[in-house]
């Protein structure tokens, strides 16, 4: 799909031309912040060792989470990115140490989030070190995730909670976990992981998207018939709205599906999602969206820096495959410029998180306008991709 050139998009691009990203400076500040975060994490773990990973700041306090939390892998994965960027042994040692804490989740069959929890730290760890122990963890996690696939509906179940609300919920975020399955097929030659990933991606493409290529957050399936029961939201403004992070997960998800399959339908779909995101008129000039594109209270609501960071990282990869490369790079540069300047935590603040102004779960009144670990992780990834230091 060729991107429609609208006034909003032109503005994004023209603005970006004047805004180069100072990656060295951004990494330096992020590393100083993360030094602080590591100290805070170690102090917190002395008090409660089961809380292994920093997630956010809640009521002014550092919020740590257990390894089965869906965000547990982002902190160790960030440490891998610092090592990749700097080649400083200090980061390698830290990355190895904190990655170990998430290892037991390879056997967790109660969540679809194993891609985030396992693939982010162990996938990066393996990519960088070629340590076969990491590869084994990824393969076991792919086996665990595969147990959540239903052949009649042709999708992986996302959540087991809220059984009163949904029978077999699948959320758009689930597209991110397919990377783990594609990699497991590469490692083992076992195509069953690949087939599950492709079937899930095809059914999500069919059932999760509206005519404008925005997506529903939650699609509920009847596994007796394979039919869709309903299309709703959990974290968005309303069932029919476009939750900002959901759009970013979809963009990243179909981009990675194209990386592994070279199926042009996925590329066209990623282009179409990018078109929705980049032409959305509710996004302010700095390129950082509000938490939901359709919240009627815009501009008096919180932004979501995490959605912007995920989008920027995905756009750098999509630029490698799409005819719209120049536009995507310019739009991603603009986002990165904003994140690295106006959205960066002041030095020494926020317990050492890197970015401010993310929104986790606004309908639940949780994590509104705060630092969040996955915003930091995808921001670092986007910086590496900007620099061409990261090979996909
Ligand atoms: N995967 C959950 C979220 O994006 O908040």
């Amino acid at each position: 799909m060729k991107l429609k050139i609208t006034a909003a998009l032109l503005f994004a691009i023209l603005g970006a031309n004047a805004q180069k990203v100072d990656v060295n400076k951004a990494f330096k500040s992020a590393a100083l912040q993360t030094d602080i975060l590591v100290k805070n994490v170690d102090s917190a773990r002395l008090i409660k060792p089961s809380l292994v990973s920093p997630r956010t700041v809640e009521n002014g306090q550092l919020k740590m989470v257990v390894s089965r939390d869906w965000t547990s892998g982002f902190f160790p994965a960030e440490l891998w990115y610092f090592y990749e960027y700097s080649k400083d042994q200090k980061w390698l040692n830290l990355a190895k140490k904190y990655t170990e804490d998430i290892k037991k989740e390879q056997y967790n069959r109660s969540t679809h989030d194993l891609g985030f929890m396992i693939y982010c730290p162990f996938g990066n760890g393996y990519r960088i070190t070629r340590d076969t122990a990491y590869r084994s963890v990824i393969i076991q996690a792919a086996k665990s995730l595969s147990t959540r696939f239903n052949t009649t509906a042709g999708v992986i179940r996302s959540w087991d909670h809220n059984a009163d609300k949904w029978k077999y919920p699948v959320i758009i975020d689930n597209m991110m976990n397919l990377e783990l399955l594609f990699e497991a097929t590469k490692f083992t030659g076992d195509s069953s992981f690949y087939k599950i990933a492709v079937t899930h991606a095809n059914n999500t493409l069919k059932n999760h998207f509206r005519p404008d290529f925005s997506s529903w957050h939650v699609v509920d399936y009847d596994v007796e018939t394979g039919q869709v029961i309903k299309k709703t939201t959990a974290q968005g403004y309303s069932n029919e709205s476009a939750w900002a992070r959901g759009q970013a997960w979809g963009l990243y998800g179909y981009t990675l599906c194209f990386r592994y399959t070279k199926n042009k339908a996925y590329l066209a779909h990623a282009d179409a999602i990018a078109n929705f995101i980049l032409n959305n008129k509710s996004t302010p000039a700095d390129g950082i969206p509000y938490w939901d594109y359709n919240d009627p209270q815009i501009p008096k609501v919180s932004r979501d820096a995490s959605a912007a960071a995920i989008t920027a990282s995905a756009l750098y990869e999509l630029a490698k495959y799409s005819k719209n490369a120049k536009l995507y790079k310019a739009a991603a540069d603009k986002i990165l410029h904003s994140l690295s300047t106006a959205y960066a935590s002041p030095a020494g603040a926020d317990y050492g998180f890197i970015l401010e102004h993310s929104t986790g779960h606004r309908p639940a009144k949780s994590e509104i306008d705060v630092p969040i670990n996955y915003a930091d992780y995808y921001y670092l990834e986007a910086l590496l991709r900007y620099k061409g230091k990261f090979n996909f």
Side-chain angles (χ1 to χ4, degrees), residues 55 70-71 74 112-113 116 159 171-174 176-177 217 235 243 245-246 249 304 306 310 359-361 367 372 374:
R55 173 166 169 155
W70 81 271
T71 70
F74 292 116
H112 73 131
D113 282 321
F116 292 121
W159 295 327
I171 63 174
I172 189 65
D173 326 25
N174 205 335
M176 299 297 285
N177 297 309
H217 183 204
Q235 282 165 260
W243 173 50
R245 196 161 54 259
W249 291 142
D304 186 8
S306 78
I310 298 158
T359 300
H361 194 336
E367 299 177 338
I372 299 185
Y374 44 90

Side-chain angles (χ1 to χ4, degrees), residues 164-391:
D164 54 320
K165 284 192 187 157
W166 301 290
K167 275 185 152 177
Y168 192 92
V170 177
I171 63 174
I172 189 65
D173 326 25
N174 205 335
M175 287 300 301
M176 299 297 285
N177 297 309
L178 305 185
E179 194 168 17
L180 172 73
L181 299 177
F182 285 123
E183 284 293 329
T185 286
K186 264 178 41 189
F187 295 157
T188 59
D190 179 350
S191 62
S192 61
F193 302 124
Y194 185 99
K195 283 184 192 141
I196 290 174
V198 164
T199 309
H200 182 95
N202 291 345
N203 284 315
T204 299
L205 194 153
K206 190 169 82 189
N207 295 324
H208 251 89
F209 288 85
R210 307 183 181 106
D212 65 358
F213 296 96
S214 68
S215 54
W216 281 277
H217 183 204
V218 189
V219 173
D220 193 19
Y221 288 84
D222 181 340
V223 285
E224 304 294 320
T225 64
Q227 297 302 304
V228 170
I229 301 170
K230 61 181 183 222
K231 302 181 179 192
T232 60
T233 197
Q235 282 165 260
Y237 173 77
S238 72
N239 290 341
E240 295 309 317
S241 72
W243 173 50
R245 196 161 54 259
Q247 312 317 305
W249 291 142
L251 175 69
Y252 197 118
Y254 282 96
T255 302
L256 79 84
C257 283
F258 180 74
R259 182 203 309 157
Y260 289 102
T261 64
K262 299 296 168 223
N263 178 344
K264 291 217 165 76
Y266 297 149
L267 176 58
H269 203 65
D271 275 330
I273 301 169
N275 188 50
F276 174 85
I277 292 174
L278 297 179
N279 279 308
N280 200 288
K281 293 188 176 59
S282 75
T283 302
D286 65 4
I288 313 301
Y290 291 98
W291 75 285
D292 188 298
Y293 290 104
N294 301 107
D295 186 334
Q297 299 297 317
I298 288 174
K300 293 191 194 132
V301 289
S302 54
R303 306 284 193 100
D304 186 8
S306 78
I310 298 158
T311 298
S313 185
L315 287 174
Y316 285 128
E317 181 176 8
L318 188 55
K320 292 174 72 170
Y321 316 134
S322 170
K323 290 193 183 77
N324 305 316
K326 257 180 120 165
L327 293 173
Y328 292 160
K329 276 199 200 129
D333 289 358
K334 180 179 182 64
I335 291 172
L336 266 194
H337 176 81
S338 297
L339 292 178
S340 60
T341 53
Y343 290 75
S345 297
D350 298 327
Y351 289 89
F353 285 101
I354 302 166
L355 296 179
E356 298 188 324
H357 306 305
S358 288
T359 300
H361 194 336
R362 196 172 170 104
K365 299 190 170 44
S366 165
E367 299 177 338
I368 299 172
D369 198 15
V370 288
I372 299 185
N373 57 14
Y374 44 90
D376 293 358
Y377 170 76
Y378 288 101
Y379 168 66
L380 295 177
E381 186 178 276
L383 288 171
L384 285 168
R385 284 178 165 175
Y386 174 94
K387 251 326 207 200
K389 282 220 175 203
F390 188 76
N391 204 19

Side-chain angles (χ1 to χ4, degrees), residues 28-40:
K28 209 171 154 194
S29 322
L32 287 172
Q33 283 296 102
T34 306
D35 283 337
I36 296 169
L37 186 60
V38 168
K39 284 201 185 88
N40 284 324

